[in-house]
Amino acid sequence: MKKGKRAYSEQAIEEVFRERESFLVVGLTGRIGSGCTSASEIFAKDARSLNLPHAAPVPHMKDRGFQNQQRQERIIERYAMAGHWQAFDIVKVRDVLTSFVLENLGGFANLVARLTGGRQGDLIQKLKSEYCKWLDSDNSRRVKKVFQKGYSFEKMIELNIDLWRKMEDNHHIIKTSNITSRHFCFVAMVLPEISNMIRRLLISEDNFLYTRTYQNVGNIVRTFGELDTSGNRDIQEPGAIFCVARRINYIIKMYRKKDWFLLSEEEQKKQEIHSSPVRIVIDSIKNLFEAIYLRDRYSAFYLFAISVSENKRQEFLQAKDFDLEKPELRIIDYCERPSEARKAYQEHCKLRGRTPKTSAGDALYSFFEDITCGSYPYGVWKDAYDNATYTFNMQDVEACIQNADIFINNNKNKEELTKNIVKYVCLMMHPGLVQPTDDERCMQIAQTAKVNSGCVSRQVGAVVCDDRSNILSIGWNQPSANRCNEVVPCLYRNFEDCYNKNDQMAYSELEREDEEFRGYLSSCFSVDGKDVYKDVIKEYRKRLQGLPMTYCFKDLYCDFIGSRNQVHTRSQHAEEIALESSNQRLTEGGTLYTTSCSCELCAKKALHYGIKRMVYVEPYFGITEKHVLGFPDADSPDEGQMEVELFTGACHRAYTQLYSPIFPIKDELEMRNVSFKKPKKQKHHDQPDRRKGRKQKQAFNGAG
């Protein structure tokens, strides 16, 4: 009976972990040149071709120093190579966008003509020619086997339209009568190949053309729900925000039936449709709401942020023949960072007509001029920048990175990148397999600290450690207050109260009494000399639906004086508070962890406190690295200069999910029937008790 129980527990625990391993979805995000494609290729390798670097040997007892990293690597390597690592299928977001392109090839050709001034010629005919060449090659043999006939370019376009229509009509379950092996073959093999053809055609014209074209395709599709290139459509479709994410979700559903789709028609008739293990990596997500959509549907979805230092990124782009001096590269960067692009666009509008365009900046000037004029296809951009809606329908890599689950600093060392990817996949399959690193532990506390901030612009958390990773202090950005007054975060300040001089302790004398500033506030609600304050506030209340009418003083004041300066913020920065709460004697040689790379002022303060290393998650595009990190010592190059590193590790919900064991490891070993204790001898019922017999004999002898 006992033996049977152990056998059952062994099978049960295997089933628990098999269920976790059978469905994993990973999304990749990062700026162009950061290495998302390299990461996806690692995910797609099987265990044999993974070439996982062998962990260091068992540390010798005479070895000094910290060896836990080597021990961790050995555990991960053994687990991965014990049959747990399986290759992932790659789903490219560009292929999903191509599915929208195939629904309106003529409109796509018009878009390319607009971006190139008509230089591309007959794009559709060239694409058909490329497709025919591919059909004649050996690479299309499997496609021909599935389709047998009817695999012309026109038939594929029809199949593409039919697939998404059927998925929209019946998205809860894939029935055999609706979705066939042809549909799956098209998604898994034909659609990626057509994407590659389009990419080659556009790159042959210009290295930047492919990226810029697909950035426009994505923005238009997320705005209207289709590739509408007429330029006459003004009404945005709110539901279009998720149209790309929905198609990604449909593809995931198709891959859940992958093994069945790959059967022959005769075998399919003999078997019922069944689910397959799913491991998918999505390359690459650059809109936050696409990640949110998938995260809401799958608890096994994790967003990886692949980042790299700017110097490494530029080296990579140069190696790919990107001319870094060209304004086109700055345009691509602006497209991935819409908050910065919006500032540049607003500056362009202010200086328009007063600043002559230079020969070096013609493309950049024309880019913002096209947006300002609202010409096709940039009317979508203009609306997004004017109304600050870019987060919904445009690429926003910064927002994706801020909301990632796992961060990997890709220093272009493929071995390190491979080890990090394998480690986190193993933790997805078996949480608690290894412990968090010191960096993860400290950064998770900084991430937790930042939610205490009442800043309405950006929450930031910081942790200061000594040179042995002992935490000295924690901070988050918030306003200062003396002992006689409480901290009043911006979240609790209401524009109505400020304007009407209510709750006066929450507002400064400048906001309440300064005549020039009060005059500026009044002018904001004056139209043709008429005060429209009450009407505007009434409309704002309706739009906010009970939300507080908060405002950022720094933004308001900078607009008032006509210049931007971070000195005018109400809050102290998180790093500043954490450093000032530390004992400077203990911070020498320590580490500053911050959820956002420190500004110049905080970096200078960190240097003053003797901080040796700064680890951050979100990049801050200032002059910190180039200006205030100090200089290496002439005799000891490793001394004197503060190191700045992108964070590598799990954060937010992933930290808890990956490092919280399903069972305590001690209990798991017992359930797997693994014990290192000396086995106890089993007592048989028919065996006489020798001690009892001995006592009876003694009693008998005594009686005699």
Side-chain angles (χ1 to χ4, degrees):
M1 189 72 179
K2 201 168 184 181
K3 187 175 180 182
K5 283 184 178 178
R6 286 185 176 179
Y8 170 77
S9 67
E10 230 176 303
Q11 293 172 10
I13 199 168
E14 286 292 339
E15 190 63 31
V16 168
F17 286 103
R18 189 180 297 112
E19 185 67 22
R20 293 188 66 87
E21 293 183 23
S22 66
F23 190 87
L24 293 175
V25 180
V26 168
L28 303 178
T29 189
R31 297 174 67 193
I32 182 173
S34 63
C36 285
T37 300
S38 298
S40 69
E41 290 169 355
I42 293 171
F43 274 101
K45 291 182 178 180
D46 58 28
R48 184 177 298 178
S49 58
L50 191 61
N51 293 326
L52 186 66
H54 289 293
V58 179
H60 192 272
M61 62 180 295
K62 294 182 180 179
D63 290 346
R64 300 287 183 178
F66 299 99
Q67 306 289 342
N68 277 344
Q69 183 177 351
Q70 296 175 12
R71 297 181 181 104
Q72 183 186 95
E73 289 175 1
R74 288 208 324 277
I75 291 171
I76 293 295
E77 180 188 358
R78 286 172 180 171
Y79 186 81
M81 296 299 107
H84 297 288
W85 177 271
Q86 301 294 329
F88 282 64
D89 290 301
I90 301 177
V91 173
K92 293 184 179 290
V93 174
R94 75 174 187 189
D95 298 342
V96 178
L97 294 177
T98 299
S99 72
F100 288 97
V101 167
L102 294 180
E103 292 174 348
N104 186 4
L105 263 178
F108 179 71
N110 291 337
L111 172 62
V112 175
R114 172 65 182 85
L115 294 174
T116 61
R119 295 194 309 272
Q120 188 54 232
D122 193 348
L123 180 65
I124 299 176
Q125 195 57 44
K126 290 180 180 178
L127 184 58
K128 286 182 180 179
S129 176
E130 287 290 314
Y131 180 80
C132 291
K133 288 179 184 177
W134 174 69
L135 280 182
D136 291 337
S137 69
D138 292 337
N139 296 330
S140 66
R141 190 183 307 162
R142 193 171 180 184
V143 173
K144 289 179 180 178
K145 185 177 179 180
V146 172
F147 283 87
Q148 295 181 352
K149 59 181 179 178
Y151 41 76
S152 67
F153 189 72
E154 290 75 14
K155 288 289 184 182
M156 290 302 175
I157 291 176
E158 291 176 10
L159 189 65
N160 176 70
I161 295 171
D162 177 65
L163 168 64
W164 305 117
R165 179 181 56 78
K166 285 182 175 178
M167 294 297 276
E168 289 288 348
D169 292 342
N170 186 26
H171 58 273
H172 293 295
I173 187 171
I174 300 176
K175 294 183 178 179
T176 56
S177 58
N178 287 341
I179 307 301
T180 66
S181 297
R182 289 191 171 196
H183 291 108
F184 179 77
C185 178
F186 171 78
V187 166
M189 290 176 267
V190 180
L191 191 58
E193 194 58 45
I194 293 176
S195 285
N196 289 333
M197 295 172 196
I198 293 175
R199 182 176 180 273
R200 287 194 295 269
L201 287 172
L202 297 183
I203 284 181
S204 66
E205 177 69 31
D206 185 344
N207 262 341
F208 299 96
L209 180 58
Y210 167 73
T211 303
R212 285 191 60 192
T213 301
Y214 267 69
Q215 283 175 335
N216 274 282
V217 169
N219 293 343
I220 294 169
V221 166
R222 294 186 197 99
T223 302
F224 302 121
E226 59 182 341
L227 185 59
D228 188 323
T229 58
S230 64
N232 301 321
R233 193 166 172 179
D234 297 325
I235 300 175
Q236 300 181 8
E237 296 290 339
I241 297 167
F242 297 115
C243 65
V244 176
R246 275 197 295 269
R247 289 201 178 179
I248 294 173
N249 188 34
Y250 296 154
I251 292 173
I252 293 172
K253 288 177 179 290
M254 293 179 73
Y255 270 97
R256 296 191 82 159
K257 315 297 179 186
K258 174 183 174 181
D259 291 345
W260 191 88
F261 283 134
L262 294 178
L263 296 174
S264 65
E265 289 186 9
E266 289 111 14
E267 290 172 324
Q268 286 179 355
K269 291 175 183 177
K270 296 176 184 177
Q271 298 185 28
E272 291 185 3
I273 191 166
H274 57 270
S275 295
S276 312
V278 171
R279 293 196 185 187
I280 286 177
V281 57
I282 303 165
D283 176 24
S284 59
I285 294 174
K286 297 196 175 183
N287 177 274
L288 174 61
F289 287 93
E290 288 161 13
I292 289 174
Y293 184 94
L294 295 170
R295 185 180 287 156
D296 287 346
R297 277 149 185 79
Y298 302 113
S299 61
F301 172 80
Y302 295 87
L303 183 62
F304 280 59
I306 310 295
S307 300
V308 68
S309 68
E310 188 60 22
N311 290 338
K312 291 279 187 182
R313 192 175 80 95
Q314 291 188 6
E315 287 176 11
F316 172 79
L317 291 174
Q318 281 180 323
K320 294 291 183 181
D321 296 327
F322 280 93
D323 187 347
L324 298 179
E325 298 301 319
K326 279 194 173 184
E328 284 86 353
L329 185 58
R330 291 186 63 193
I331 293 172
I332 290 173
D333 281 347
Y334 272 134
C335 295
E336 294 187 340
R337 296 163 51 203
S339 60
E340 293 299 312
R342 186 182 183 228
K343 292 175 186 176
Y345 158 71
Q346 291 173 333
E347 192 67 23
H348 177 87
C349 293
K350 288 179 183 178
L351 301 176
R352 194 179 178 206
R354 287 183 283 166
T355 304
K357 54 182 181 175
T358 61
S359 57
D362 279 351
L364 195 60
Y365 180 92
S366 299
F367 172 68
F368 285 113
E369 188 65 16
D370 286 337
I371 295 174
T372 306
C373 297
S375 60
Y376 163 76
Y378 295 110
V380 169
W381 304 62
K382 179 177 173 59
D383 289 340
Y385 293 155
D386 286 343
N387 302 314
T389 58
Y390 51 80
T391 301
F392 296 105
N393 57 355
M394 302 181 78
Q395 288 190 351
D396 192 348
V397 177
E398 285 177 305
C400 290
I401 291 174
Q402 290 171 23
N403 288 273
D405 300 301
I406 296 165
F407 303 86
I408 294 182
N409 176 11
N410 178 21
N411 59 8
K412 298 303 180 182
N413 181 328
K414 205 153 190 177
E415 283 192 359
E416 284 298 315
L417 182 60
T418 301
K419 284 198 291 187
N420 280 318
I421 287 172
V422 172
K423 170 187 171 180
Y424 291 109
V425 171
C426 288
L427 284 169
M428 290 175 204
M429 296 186 286
H430 198 295
L433 190 63
V434 294
Q435 286 182 295
T437 63
D438 287 339
D439 281 356
E440 287 177 308
R441 172 173 55 85
C442 296
M443 187 59 78
Q444 178 68 2
I445 294 173
Q447 293 281 7
T448 303
K450 82 173 187 178
V451 303
N452 297 314
S453 170
C455 180
V456 297
S457 178
R458 172 178 286 190
Q459 294 176 310
V460 180
V463 167
V464 176
C465 296
D466 64 14
D467 57 0
R468 297 182 69 85
S469 297
N470 297 309
I471 294 174
L472 303 176
S473 61
I474 301 168
W476 55 88
N477 53 325
Q478 67 174 359
S480 301
N482 56 34
R483 293 183 180 180
C484 302
N485 195 10
E486 65 177 348
V487 173
V488 183
C490 293
L491 185 63
Y492 292 161
R493 286 160 40 96
N494 189 295
F495 185 85
E496 281 187 272
D497 290 337
C498 176
Y499 192 85
N500 297 320
K501 298 186 179 181
N502 298 327
D503 190 14
Q504 295 197 17
M505 293 294 289
Y507 307 94
S508 66
E509 184 179 346
L510 176 93
E511 293 169 293
R512 298 192 319 265
E513 308 297 341
D514 187 87
E515 292 184 4
E516 291 186 15
F517 185 74
R518 299 289 303 183
Y520 160 77
L521 294 182
S522 298
S523 67
C524 296
F525 299 96
S526 178
V527 178
D528 297 330
K530 182 182 178 181
D531 185 2
V532 294
Y533 170 78
K534 291 184 179 179
D535 296 333
V536 172
I537 292 299
K538 184 178 179 180
E539 178 62 24
Y540 284 176
R541 284 179 184 167
K542 183 179 178 182
R543 293 180 187 178
L544 289 171
Q545 300 180 21
L547 292 172
M549 204 173 293
T550 55
Y551 68 99
C552 177
F553 171 78
K554 182 184 74 171
D555 287 353
L556 212 59
Y557 189 74
C558 287
D559 189 63
F560 165 57
I561 63 176
S563 66
R564 298 190 63 83
N565 194 324
Q566 64 176 339
V567 172
H568 300 310
T569 181
R570 292 183 65 244
S571 296
Q572 280 187 283
H573 287 187
E575 305 95 312
E576 185 181 8
I577 292 173
L579 288 165
E580 290 177 353
S581 302
S582 304
N583 184 334
Q584 191 170 355
R585 183 172 54 84
L586 299 176
T587 58
E588 191 72 34
T591 302
L592 171 64
Y593 295 91
T594 172
T595 58
S596 178
C597 186
S598 297
C599 67
E600 294 84 15
L601 297 176
C602 290
K604 284 188 281 188
K605 180 158 284 192
L607 275 175
H608 177 69
Y609 274 75
I611 294 296
K612 175 65 177 173
R613 180 169 168 258
M614 182 196 299
V615 181
Y616 69 94
V617 173
E618 304 166 24
Y620 174 83
F621 297 97
I623 59 174
T624 297
E625 290 192 57
K626 296 181 179 179
H627 184 55
V628 294
L629 296 185
F631 300 94
D633 187 275
D635 299 323
S636 304
D638 294 335
E639 300 295 330
Q641 189 170 20
M642 183 164 62
E643 300 171 13
V644 177
E645 296 179 21
L646 283 160
F647 170 67
T648 290
C651 256
H652 305 301
R653 68 175 188 118
Y655 181 89
T656 304
Q657 288 179 333
L658 298 182
Y659 290 113
S660 298
I662 297 176
F663 308 98
I665 189 66
K666 176 183 171 183
D667 294 350
E668 184 178 340
L669 290 176
E670 186 176 340
M671 283 185 273
R672 291 181 181 274
N673 198 18
V674 174
S675 175
F676 303 103
K677 296 178 182 178
K678 183 179 179 180
K680 294 180 180 179
K681 292 182 179 180
Q682 297 292 329
K683 185 188 295 184
H684 299 288
H685 294 290
D686 57 346
Q687 184 178 352
D689 190 327
R690 293 181 180 178
R691 289 178 301 173
K692 185 177 179 181
R694 192 181 303 118
K695 288 180 180 179
Q696 289 177 340
K697 187 176 181 180
Q698 289 174 351
F700 176 79
N701 291 336

